[in-house]
Amino acid sequence: MADDHGNEKKLDTVRLQTMSRAFMGSATLFAAIELKLFTAVSEGDNTVQRFAKKATISVTNADRLMTMCAASGLLVWRDDHYINAPDVQRFLVEGEARYAAPWLLFTRSGWNRWGDLAKQLHNEQEPQVMAASKTMSVEYAQRYHKATASVGFGSGRRFSKQVDLSQRRKIMDLGGGSGAYSIVAVQNYPQLSAVVFDLPPVVEVTREFIRQHDVEDRVTTMAGNFTEDELPEGCDVAIMASNLPMYSRQIIQEVIRKSFTALLPGGEMHLVGEMLDDDRTGPADAAIWGLAEVMSNSTGITHTRADCVEYFQHAGFDDISVDDFIPDILVRVCGRKPT
Ligand SMILES: C[S@@+](CC[C@H](N)C(=O)[O-])C[C@H]1O[C@@H](n2cnc3c(N)ncnc32)[C@H](O)[C@@H]1O
């Protein structure tokens, strides 16, 4: 294989070795969050000795953990103490408004099953639509959306900045979860109202978020399953965020078609999802979420940007656009229903 300058590149195993131990990097992050390392560093327990005492672990082990965190770019050594890297300081210090640890720890429960991925891939049972969601309890939905909300409100703020909703009246937020997109949107646009559509156990949790944000007069909920039930009526905006890889092409196509039918003429739909580039070379995160569907034996797959544009075209949308929403994580496809 030649590099950009035509020189023959010597192959080695470095990339493969790094990948084979990547799970140890995840374990480091989980342990550091659990031991509140980044919170300690931000509060001044920022040397090996001080952190060891705070976390009640040995100095040797504190040194091992902090060395790995520094080597991974999570901590930075300054003169005689550590500081948190900027993203760590913003998102991993407990008590701060942007604390995102609940979401970062959420996938950790899959640790053992991911360790057995080859065995999981041998599963030959018929895939189930909504395999994981059918038995969801309210307690699970609470844990789930404590996690999604810890990043979802940030996405909601980004959405309300990227999309001008000043001429819109009502949002249907399909699979809206915590209601983050809707809650932030009505806070930013005084003329707007929203209905968060999600599964029955989830909307109980959505109502708690709506109450906490004091928007009960503007955001309502509707319990249902968007693969089977009628969608809310009278809306001129539809948002469907972060549930794309849970479903097959056929099902996503059908939900987008139903959304088109339910929207008012002139209305707009935004599909915010983990989409693969059309050359299928990445981003890895989109591929990961598709692969994760193995664990629940669902029909879900990774969809490309082009797949999603096609769903919009088939449904009848015009003015279809594709934008990075959170680069390498989420893409936003938007279309308008003709008047
Ligand atoms: C990862 S969460 C995203 C929540 C929210 N949209 C956000 O971005 O913060 C996915 C949500 O989709 C909901 N969902 C998945 N399938 C659904 C279905 N068939 N009908 C209604 N809601 C569904 C789940 O219950 C969950 O609340």
Side-chain angles (χ1 to χ4, degrees):
M1 194 197 293
D3 66 16
D4 293 345
H5 307 289
N7 301 320
E8 214 46 41
K9 198 167 171 246
K10 200 163 174 294
L11 291 178
D12 60 34
T13 60
V14 173
R15 179 175 80 104
L16 305 177
Q17 289 203 51
T18 304
M19 198 181 277
S20 74
R21 289 189 283 273
F23 75 96
M24 297 177 191
S26 301
T28 302
L29 180 64
F30 296 150
I33 294 172
E34 254 179 54
L35 294 174
K36 303 183 193 299
L37 169 60
F38 308 119
T39 308
V41 165
S42 123
E43 289 171 350
D45 288 312
N46 52 13
T47 62
V48 167
Q49 278 73 16
R50 283 197 212 137
F51 174 65
K53 191 160 173 234
K54 179 89 180 176
T56 62
I57 61 175
S58 70
V59 170
T60 306
N61 281 344
D63 188 26
R64 287 172 170 143
L65 180 66
M66 291 170 99
T67 298
M68 175 61 182
C69 285
S72 317
L74 299 168
L75 293 178
V76 180
W77 184 250
R78 272 287 151 78
D79 305 327
D80 58 356
H81 65 280
Y82 284 110
I83 61 168
N84 289 323
D87 53 350
V88 170
Q89 180 62 30
R90 191 169 166 93
F91 298 113
L92 287 179
V93 174
E94 214 173 10
E96 293 294 321
R98 304 281 194 263
Y99 189 60
W103 178 243
L104 297 178
L105 294 177
F106 188 68
T107 44
R108 186 192 169 169
S109 59
W111 180 274
N112 289 338
R113 298 188 82 196
W114 276 95
D116 232 357
L117 179 59
K119 188 170 148 210
Q120 307 291 338
L121 288 164
H122 267 111
N123 180 5
E124 284 178 4
Q125 284 171 353
E126 195 56 33
Q128 303 278 311
V129 177
M130 300 189 59
S133 313
K134 274 202 173 123
T135 52
M136 198 194 294
S137 64
V138 175
E139 291 69 32
Y140 179 84
Q142 263 158 348
R143 274 203 310 281
Y144 183 17
H145 288 301
K146 184 177 178 209
T148 68
S150 73
V151 289
F153 278 85
S155 302
R157 284 189 288 276
R158 191 177 284 235
F159 184 83
S160 281
K161 270 193 203 129
Q162 274 190 14
V163 180
D164 179 6
L165 297 169
S166 58
Q167 304 305 312
R168 295 300 185 184
R169 309 304 310 176
K170 190 167 182 188
I171 297 173
M172 59 167 128
D173 189 354
L174 303 177
S178 67
Y181 282 67
S182 294
I183 291 169
V184 176
V186 304
Q187 286 171 334
N188 279 283
Y189 294 95
Q191 85 295 349
L192 259 187
S193 65
V195 49
V196 179
F197 182 98
D198 210 306
L199 303 169
V202 175
V203 292
E204 293 200 28
V205 179
T206 316
R207 285 190 210 113
E208 288 170 29
F209 280 99
I210 293 171
R211 257 196 308 277
Q212 279 166 21
H213 288 85
D214 205 14
V215 289
E216 289 144 292
D217 52 337
R218 314 259 305 284
V219 184
T220 55
T221 59
M222 184 169 162
N225 169 354
F226 57 56
T227 68
E228 291 173 358
D229 300 325
E230 295 296 310
L231 302 183
E233 304 228 308
C235 297
D236 54 2
V237 181
I239 301 173
M240 179 154 146
S242 293
N243 46 42
L244 182 64
M246 295 176 191
Y247 294 103
S248 66
R249 288 196 181 86
Q250 198 185 5
I251 293 173
I252 294 291
Q253 173 69 86
E254 178 56 14
V255 177
I256 291 178
R257 192 201 60 74
K258 273 167 69 169
S259 307
F260 179 87
T261 306
L263 271 174
L264 292 172
E268 66 195 61
M269 173 153 196
H270 300 266
L271 176 67
V272 177
E274 303 83 350
M275 290 172 212
L276 209 57
D277 294 342
D278 294 338
D279 63 6
R280 304 185 74 86
T281 57
D285 202 58
I288 281 173
W289 287 114
L291 184 57
E293 292 299 312
V294 170
M295 304 300 169
S296 54
N297 194 33
S298 80
T299 64
I301 53 153
T302 302
H303 304 251
T304 64
R305 294 176 181 223
D307 289 335
C308 296
V309 168
E310 212 176 296
Y311 307 145
F312 273 62
Q313 283 168 339
H314 279 169
F317 284 104
D318 279 347
D319 300 336
I320 300 165
S321 58
V322 182
D323 289 288
D324 276 339
F325 183 62
I326 300 175
D328 291 335
I329 302 275
L330 290 170
V331 178
R332 180 171 60 86
V333 174
C334 170
R336 201 168 298 271
K337 178 171 175 172
T339 44

